[in-house]
Amino acid sequence: MRTPVDLAAARPGPAFTVTLDGREIEAFPGQTVAAALWAAGVTSWRTTRVEGRPRGIFCGIGVCFDCLVTVNDRPNQRACLVPARPGDAIRTQDGTGHDD
Amino acid sequence: MTERPHLAVIGAGPAGLAATVAAAARGVRVTLIDSAAEAGGQFYRQPAAALRARRPQALHHQWRTWERLRDALAGQVESGRVMHLTDHHAWLVERQSGRFTVHALLGPEQEEPAVVHADATVLATGGYEKVLPFPGWTLPGVVTAGGAQAMLKGALAVSGPTAVVAGTGPLLLPVATGLAAAGVKVAALVESADPRDFVRRTRALAAQPGKVGEGARYAARLLRHRVRTLVRHTVVEAHGTGRIEAVTVAALDGAGRVRPGTERRIPCDTLAVGHGMLPHTDLAETLGCRLDGPGVDVDGDQRTDVPGVWAAGETTGIGGAALALAEGHIAGCSAAARLNGAAPDPHAWAAAAKSRNGLREFFAALDPVYAPPAHWAEQVTDDTVVCRCEEVTGGAIREAVADLGAGDLRTVKLLTRAGMGWCQGRVCGPAVAGLAGCGETPGRRPFARPVPLGVLARAGEPKPSDAAQ
Ligand SMILES: Cc1cc2nc3c(=O)[nH]c(=O)nc-3n(C[C@H](O)[C@H](O)[C@H](O)COP(=O)(O)OP(=O)(O)OC[C@H]3O[C@@H](n4cnc5c(N)ncnc54)[C@H](O)[C@@H]3O)c2cc1C
Ligand code: FES
């Protein structure tokens, strides 16, 4: 199958590893956390405060705050904006993202 | 330090770039402020530099125009006339004794503050998408049409191999063809507008042969990628548990109601959906600029009614990249003339004004054609979440109106919490207004971004580390 990476002839630097809840995932320089998760087949990384429903990307540009995720112990980061960095510990988050 | 007048341009999309380049070419010092890591805005959103895309133009239209803008910006940055501040989210522009202070937050975390001072400002913050709710629209894999496009252009990412593109508006065409070109199987393009309505507006169409050609090129691409187009159809529900697995679409009757018995199910892992665009007006509103409908009101020079404030591009009304370019150019020329102490001479930008006026007419004619189905609210069941942040359902909003007598958006919000979450009602505003049967009033958000309290407390104090003086 053709991919967007083929279409744009992208040749990012070598892949690095991040973790999602401890599981190793491959990411490339230039990818946001959301892009790395999508590439790993993950489309949801948060559950909502009231009903515990899964959420992931919605607006893709930082407006809707649906894509909140915990990165290196900082909760409520927007996965569509935050670049993935080598060794990032990404964690799915429930509710407010704080332990309450 | 030079005593050149200083213009702050907010937004590095087509409008902001055109304004920056025009003003800098006329001797004005410009600080270009944008929340993204690269210039380009929505239309010319670039893949992140580290992805090292050697063929980014494959994701784009009108690439040569982009090259011209990009190179002109680079030249002005090199000459020191333009400072381009990336990753700066402006949350407030203040006007005091005729000068301006732009308050911004840095980086994706948006916690560190920065401040820019200027003699005048051009607001070119563009627009955002309107998406109306339907059962299942909060499932992962349901994304906004522009969001699908932004993830594709900026991150070279797609959320699955099979997509449905749905809703209404000209944006659906580049989204469907873009995804298809990137290897996604687009199972259907579902548009609620009626093509016969375009024909009734042939005069405005005939005046824009370029736009007609654009439409024909998209149609050819859809055909080439074998994308099935369903017009006068709408998505009635997205299905799935942990993520979207299928959508049900149905035909609409002449009055904009779902025709019973026409429902069919289309399997997919992505639904890219949008119902048009709305202008970003937060910064303009806190400056006290008058609005004209949903957008910022401007005169022929792109000036707002607040002295020293110009506005250009989709913040003044939705009309696409070519219109944004023309408006930006005019704003840059006009602002430069004023800052240089001269009366602006409209003859100097007659070509841009002609193009602007024609495109505005064209989009004014299109606007009523691309309308969401008249009875979209009937699809919103009582248990459909309408406010995604606060998880307020359609039932709760109806109850606030019917039983508690809420007659305006503010009261509905106070009673239900709809619009009080992280996104400050940007996503649910139009839907709540529609369900409650009250007018869509401008958002009246105090700030264009959520601001950490520490930053707010310090905002009044001048700091030596200001980004630009
Ligand atoms: C998500 C999305 C995707 C789109 N994709 C396409 C497409 O593929 N094809 C198409 O024809 N049209 C597309 N559009 C329509 C698009 O808006 C216009 O084509 C065109 O980009 C408008 O130009 P503009 O300069 O007015 O605004 P924009 O291009 O939207 O530029 C505005 C810029 O301002 C910045 N900004 C906004 N608020 C702030 C702030 N408070 N602080 C700092 N910076 C800020 C934004 O980051 C952005 O870079 C899309 C729209 C959206 C919302
Ligand atoms: S997807 Fe909307 S903020 Fe990230």
Side-chain angles (χ1 to χ4, degrees), chain B residues 155-184:
Chain B
L156 305 180
V158 294
S159 65
T162 311
V164 168
V165 178
T168 188
L171 183 56
L172 301 186
L173 293 166
V175 173
T177 54
L179 288 173
V184 175

PDB file of all heavy atoms in Angstrom, chain B residues 155-184:
ATOM      1  N   ALA B 155       2.030  15.832   9.516  1.00  0.00           N
ATOM      2  CA  ALA B 155       2.685  14.713  10.197  1.00  0.00           C
ATOM      3  C   ALA B 155       2.807  13.497   9.290  1.00  0.00           C
ATOM      4  O   ALA B 155       3.342  12.471   9.703  1.00  0.00           O
ATOM      5  CB  ALA B 155       1.904  14.345  11.463  1.00  0.00           C
ATOM      6  N   LEU B 156       2.326  13.593   8.068  1.00  0.00           N
ATOM      7  CA  LEU B 156       2.311  12.469   7.113  1.00  0.00           C
ATOM      8  C   LEU B 156       1.659  11.241   7.750  1.00  0.00           C
ATOM      9  O   LEU B 156       2.127  10.115   7.587  1.00  0.00           O
ATOM     10  CB  LEU B 156       3.736  12.141   6.636  1.00  0.00           C
ATOM     11  CG  LEU B 156       4.529  13.309   6.032  1.00  0.00           C
ATOM     12  CD1 LEU B 156       5.917  12.861   5.609  1.00  0.00           C
ATOM     13  CD2 LEU B 156       3.792  13.897   4.829  1.00  0.00           C
ATOM     14  N   ALA B 157       0.581  11.486   8.495  1.00  0.00           N
ATOM     15  CA  ALA B 157      -0.048  10.411   9.251  1.00  0.00           C
ATOM     16  C   ALA B 157      -1.513  10.242   8.859  1.00  0.00           C
ATOM     17  O   ALA B 157      -2.215  11.224   8.616  1.00  0.00           O
ATOM     18  CB  ALA B 157       0.041  10.708  10.749  1.00  0.00           C
ATOM     19  N   VAL B 158      -1.949   8.987   8.788  1.00  0.00           N
ATOM     20  CA  VAL B 158      -3.365   8.678   8.591  1.00  0.00           C
ATOM     21  C   VAL B 158      -3.768   7.677   9.667  1.00  0.00           C
ATOM     22  O   VAL B 158      -2.928   6.972  10.209  1.00  0.00           O
ATOM     23  CB  VAL B 158      -3.648   8.091   7.178  1.00  0.00           C
ATOM     24  CG1 VAL B 158      -3.382   9.143   6.104  1.00  0.00           C
ATOM     25  CG2 VAL B 158      -2.810   6.851   6.911  1.00  0.00           C
ATOM     26  N   SER B 159      -5.073   7.637   9.988  1.00  0.00           N
ATOM     27  CA  SER B 159      -5.476   6.826  11.137  1.00  0.00           C
ATOM     28  C   SER B 159      -5.963   5.440  10.745  1.00  0.00           C
ATOM     29  O   SER B 159      -6.362   4.675  11.602  1.00  0.00           O
ATOM     30  CB  SER B 159      -6.540   7.551  11.959  1.00  0.00           C
ATOM     31  OG  SER B 159      -7.708   7.708  11.202  1.00  0.00           O
ATOM     32  N   GLY B 160      -5.931   5.096   9.463  1.00  0.00           N
ATOM     33  CA  GLY B 160      -6.338   3.750   9.072  1.00  0.00           C
ATOM     34  C   GLY B 160      -6.432   3.652   7.578  1.00  0.00           C
ATOM     35  O   GLY B 160      -6.326   4.661   6.870  1.00  0.00           O
ATOM     36  N   PRO B 161      -6.630   2.429   7.045  1.00  0.00           N
ATOM     37  CA  PRO B 161      -6.602   2.241   5.599  1.00  0.00           C
ATOM     38  C   PRO B 161      -7.891   2.605   4.853  1.00  0.00           C
ATOM     39  O   PRO B 161      -7.861   2.759   3.637  1.00  0.00           O
ATOM     40  CB  PRO B 161      -6.293   0.741   5.435  1.00  0.00           C
ATOM     41  CG  PRO B 161      -6.717   0.107   6.714  1.00  0.00           C
ATOM     42  CD  PRO B 161      -6.607   1.152   7.790  1.00  0.00           C
ATOM     43  N   THR B 162      -9.024   2.753   5.570  1.00  0.00           N
ATOM     44  CA  THR B 162     -10.294   2.989   4.871  1.00  0.00           C
ATOM     45  C   THR B 162     -11.047   4.154   5.493  1.00  0.00           C
ATOM     46  O   THR B 162     -11.379   4.113   6.679  1.00  0.00           O
ATOM     47  CB  THR B 162     -11.199   1.736   4.926  1.00  0.00           C
ATOM     48  OG1 THR B 162     -10.429   0.609   4.537  1.00  0.00           O
ATOM     49  CG2 THR B 162     -12.402   1.889   4.015  1.00  0.00           C
ATOM     50  N   ALA B 163     -11.325   5.182   4.701  1.00  0.00           N
ATOM     51  CA  ALA B 163     -11.973   6.378   5.244  1.00  0.00           C
ATOM     52  C   ALA B 163     -13.264   6.693   4.510  1.00  0.00           C
ATOM     53  O   ALA B 163     -13.438   6.349   3.336  1.00  0.00           O
ATOM     54  CB  ALA B 163     -11.037   7.581   5.144  1.00  0.00           C
ATOM     55  N   VAL B 164     -14.175   7.354   5.240  1.00  0.00           N
ATOM     56  CA  VAL B 164     -15.317   8.018   4.620  1.00  0.00           C
ATOM     57  C   VAL B 164     -15.127   9.506   4.899  1.00  0.00           C
ATOM     58  O   VAL B 164     -14.725   9.878   6.003  1.00  0.00           O
ATOM     59  CB  VAL B 164     -16.649   7.511   5.212  1.00  0.00           C
ATOM     60  CG1 VAL B 164     -17.815   8.398   4.795  1.00  0.00           C
ATOM     61  CG2 VAL B 164     -16.895   6.063   4.801  1.00  0.00           C
ATOM     62  N   VAL B 165     -15.345  10.339   3.887  1.00  0.00           N
ATOM     63  CA  VAL B 165     -15.239  11.788   4.056  1.00  0.00           C
ATOM     64  C   VAL B 165     -16.660  12.333   3.938  1.00  0.00           C
ATOM     65  O   VAL B 165     -17.360  12.013   2.966  1.00  0.00           O
ATOM     66  CB  VAL B 165     -14.315  12.401   2.985  1.00  0.00           C
ATOM     67  CG1 VAL B 165     -14.243  13.916   3.123  1.00  0.00           C
ATOM     68  CG2 VAL B 165     -12.913  11.791   3.087  1.00  0.00           C
ATOM     69  N   ALA B 166     -17.106  13.114   4.913  1.00  0.00           N
ATOM     70  CA  ALA B 166     -18.525  13.476   4.928  1.00  0.00           C
ATOM     71  C   ALA B 166     -18.770  14.861   5.494  1.00  0.00           C
ATOM     72  O   ALA B 166     -17.909  15.436   6.146  1.00  0.00           O
ATOM     73  CB  ALA B 166     -19.301  12.449   5.751  1.00  0.00           C
ATOM     74  N   GLY B 167     -19.968  15.367   5.235  1.00  0.00           N
ATOM     75  CA  GLY B 167     -20.383  16.661   5.747  1.00  0.00           C
ATOM     76  C   GLY B 167     -20.790  17.557   4.595  1.00  0.00           C
ATOM     77  O   GLY B 167     -21.533  17.140   3.707  1.00  0.00           O
ATOM     78  N   THR B 168     -20.273  18.783   4.606  1.00  0.00           N
ATOM     79  CA  THR B 168     -20.561  19.691   3.506  1.00  0.00           C
ATOM     80  C   THR B 168     -19.448  20.722   3.393  1.00  0.00           C
ATOM     81  O   THR B 168     -18.766  21.014   4.366  1.00  0.00           O
ATOM     82  CB  THR B 168     -21.921  20.390   3.703  1.00  0.00           C
ATOM     83  OG1 THR B 168     -22.235  21.127   2.513  1.00  0.00           O
ATOM     84  CG2 THR B 168     -21.918  21.348   4.885  1.00  0.00           C
ATOM     85  N   GLY B 169     -19.265  21.239   2.197  1.00  0.00           N
ATOM     86  CA  GLY B 169     -18.310  22.330   2.009  1.00  0.00           C
ATOM     87  C   GLY B 169     -17.179  21.985   1.073  1.00  0.00           C
ATOM     88  O   GLY B 169     -16.874  20.817   0.857  1.00  0.00           O
ATOM     89  N   PRO B 170     -16.551  23.046   0.532  1.00  0.00           N
ATOM     90  CA  PRO B 170     -15.486  22.842  -0.454  1.00  0.00           C
ATOM     91  C   PRO B 170     -14.265  22.114   0.114  1.00  0.00           C
ATOM     92  O   PRO B 170     -13.510  21.520  -0.641  1.00  0.00           O
ATOM     93  CB  PRO B 170     -15.111  24.268  -0.882  1.00  0.00           C
ATOM     94  CG  PRO B 170     -15.864  25.209  -0.024  1.00  0.00           C
ATOM     95  CD  PRO B 170     -16.888  24.462   0.754  1.00  0.00           C
ATOM     96  N   LEU B 171     -14.079  22.133   1.430  1.00  0.00           N
ATOM     97  CA  LEU B 171     -12.909  21.478   2.023  1.00  0.00           C
ATOM     98  C   LEU B 171     -12.930  19.956   1.829  1.00  0.00           C
ATOM     99  O   LEU B 171     -11.881  19.313   1.801  1.00  0.00           O
ATOM    100  CB  LEU B 171     -12.850  21.829   3.521  1.00  0.00           C
ATOM    101  CG  LEU B 171     -11.670  21.313   4.332  1.00  0.00           C
ATOM    102  CD1 LEU B 171     -10.346  21.751   3.713  1.00  0.00           C
ATOM    103  CD2 LEU B 171     -11.762  21.786   5.771  1.00  0.00           C
ATOM    104  N   LEU B 172     -14.134  19.379   1.683  1.00  0.00           N
ATOM    105  CA  LEU B 172     -14.213  17.916   1.580  1.00  0.00           C
ATOM    106  C   LEU B 172     -13.483  17.390   0.347  1.00  0.00           C
ATOM    107  O   LEU B 172     -12.947  16.282   0.365  1.00  0.00           O
ATOM    108  CB  LEU B 172     -15.677  17.447   1.552  1.00  0.00           C
ATOM    109  CG  LEU B 172     -16.546  17.830   2.759  1.00  0.00           C
ATOM    110  CD1 LEU B 172     -17.920  17.159   2.639  1.00  0.00           C
ATOM    111  CD2 LEU B 172     -15.883  17.448   4.076  1.00  0.00           C
ATOM    112  N   LEU B 173     -13.436  18.198  -0.725  1.00  0.00           N
ATOM    113  CA  LEU B 173     -12.804  17.731  -1.968  1.00  0.00           C
ATOM    114  C   LEU B 173     -11.301  17.527  -1.800  1.00  0.00           C
ATOM    115  O   LEU B 173     -10.798  16.434  -2.078  1.00  0.00           O
ATOM    116  CB  LEU B 173     -13.110  18.695  -3.115  1.00  0.00           C
ATOM    117  CG  LEU B 173     -14.579  18.735  -3.534  1.00  0.00           C
ATOM    118  CD1 LEU B 173     -14.858  19.938  -4.426  1.00  0.00           C
ATOM    119  CD2 LEU B 173     -14.958  17.450  -4.249  1.00  0.00           C
ATOM    120  N   PRO B 174     -10.541  18.547  -1.337  1.00  0.00           N
ATOM    121  CA  PRO B 174      -9.112  18.291  -1.137  1.00  0.00           C
ATOM    122  C   PRO B 174      -8.844  17.219  -0.079  1.00  0.00           C
ATOM    123  O   PRO B 174      -7.841  16.500  -0.184  1.00  0.00           O
ATOM    124  CB  PRO B 174      -8.542  19.647  -0.692  1.00  0.00           C
ATOM    125  CG  PRO B 174      -9.698  20.494  -0.351  1.00  0.00           C
ATOM    126  CD  PRO B 174     -10.870  19.959  -1.115  1.00  0.00           C
ATOM    127  N   VAL B 175      -9.713  17.101   0.903  1.00  0.00           N
ATOM    128  CA  VAL B 175      -9.484  16.078   1.931  1.00  0.00           C
ATOM    129  C   VAL B 175      -9.631  14.684   1.319  1.00  0.00           C
ATOM    130  O   VAL B 175      -8.773  13.817   1.490  1.00  0.00           O
ATOM    131  CB  VAL B 175     -10.445  16.270   3.120  1.00  0.00           C
ATOM    132  CG1 VAL B 175     -10.320  15.122   4.110  1.00  0.00           C
ATOM    133  CG2 VAL B 175     -10.156  17.593   3.823  1.00  0.00           C
ATOM    134  N   ALA B 176     -10.708  14.476   0.555  1.00  0.00           N
ATOM    135  CA  ALA B 176     -10.931  13.152  -0.048  1.00  0.00           C
ATOM    136  C   ALA B 176      -9.826  12.809  -1.048  1.00  0.00           C
ATOM    137  O   ALA B 176      -9.270  11.710  -1.033  1.00  0.00           O
ATOM    138  CB  ALA B 176     -12.298  13.104  -0.731  1.00  0.00           C
ATOM    139  N   THR B 177      -9.461  13.764  -1.906  1.00  0.00           N
ATOM    140  CA  THR B 177      -8.442  13.461  -2.916  1.00  0.00           C
ATOM    141  C   THR B 177      -7.063  13.338  -2.260  1.00  0.00           C
ATOM    142  O   THR B 177      -6.248  12.525  -2.683  1.00  0.00           O
ATOM    143  CB  THR B 177      -8.407  14.532  -4.027  1.00  0.00           C
ATOM    144  OG1 THR B 177      -8.252  15.819  -3.432  1.00  0.00           O
ATOM    145  CG2 THR B 177      -9.685  14.529  -4.836  1.00  0.00           C
ATOM    146  N   GLY B 178      -6.827  14.129  -1.208  1.00  0.00           N
ATOM    147  CA  GLY B 178      -5.546  14.045  -0.506  1.00  0.00           C
ATOM    148  C   GLY B 178      -5.355  12.691   0.153  1.00  0.00           C
ATOM    149  O   GLY B 178      -4.301  12.061   0.021  1.00  0.00           O
ATOM    150  N   LEU B 179      -6.382  12.225   0.862  1.00  0.00           N
ATOM    151  CA  LEU B 179      -6.287  10.913   1.509  1.00  0.00           C
ATOM    152  C   LEU B 179      -6.110   9.819   0.465  1.00  0.00           C
ATOM    153  O   LEU B 179      -5.286   8.909   0.625  1.00  0.00           O
ATOM    154  CB  LEU B 179      -7.542  10.633   2.352  1.00  0.00           C
ATOM    155  CG  LEU B 179      -7.698  11.439   3.646  1.00  0.00           C
ATOM    156  CD1 LEU B 179      -9.062  11.183   4.279  1.00  0.00           C
ATOM    157  CD2 LEU B 179      -6.584  11.089   4.642  1.00  0.00           C
ATOM    158  N   ALA B 180      -6.873   9.911  -0.631  1.00  0.00           N
ATOM    159  CA  ALA B 180      -6.792   8.877  -1.669  1.00  0.00           C
ATOM    160  C   ALA B 180      -5.387   8.840  -2.271  1.00  0.00           C
ATOM    161  O   ALA B 180      -4.811   7.761  -2.460  1.00  0.00           O
ATOM    162  CB  ALA B 180      -7.838   9.130  -2.751  1.00  0.00           C
ATOM    163  N   ALA B 181      -4.810  10.023  -2.532  1.00  0.00           N
ATOM    164  CA  ALA B 181      -3.464  10.063  -3.111  1.00  0.00           C
ATOM    165  C   ALA B 181      -2.437   9.473  -2.148  1.00  0.00           C
ATOM    166  O   ALA B 181      -1.415   8.936  -2.567  1.00  0.00           O
ATOM    167  CB  ALA B 181      -3.089  11.497  -3.469  1.00  0.00           C
ATOM    168  N   ALA B 182      -2.724   9.558  -0.853  1.00  0.00           N
ATOM    169  CA  ALA B 182      -1.783   9.059   0.153  1.00  0.00           C
ATOM    170  C   ALA B 182      -1.999   7.576   0.441  1.00  0.00           C
ATOM    171  O   ALA B 182      -1.437   7.042   1.400  1.00  0.00           O
ATOM    172  CB  ALA B 182      -1.913   9.870   1.434  1.00  0.00           C
ATOM    173  N   GLY B 183      -2.833   6.922  -0.342  1.00  0.00           N
ATOM    174  CA  GLY B 183      -2.972   5.474  -0.218  1.00  0.00           C
ATOM    175  C   GLY B 183      -4.159   5.004   0.603  1.00  0.00           C
ATOM    176  O   GLY B 183      -4.364   3.809   0.786  1.00  0.00           O
ATOM    177  N   VAL B 184      -4.961   5.955   1.115  1.00  0.00           N
ATOM    178  CA  VAL B 184      -6.144   5.562   1.884  1.00  0.00           C
ATOM    179  C   VAL B 184      -7.267   5.232   0.910  1.00  0.00           C
ATOM    180  O   VAL B 184      -7.470   5.947  -0.073  1.00  0.00           O
ATOM    181  CB  VAL B 184      -6.575   6.711   2.827  1.00  0.00           C
ATOM    182  CG1 VAL B 184      -7.880   6.378   3.541  1.00  0.00           C
ATOM    183  CG2 VAL B 184      -5.473   7.004   3.833  1.00  0.00           C
TER     184      VAL B 184
END
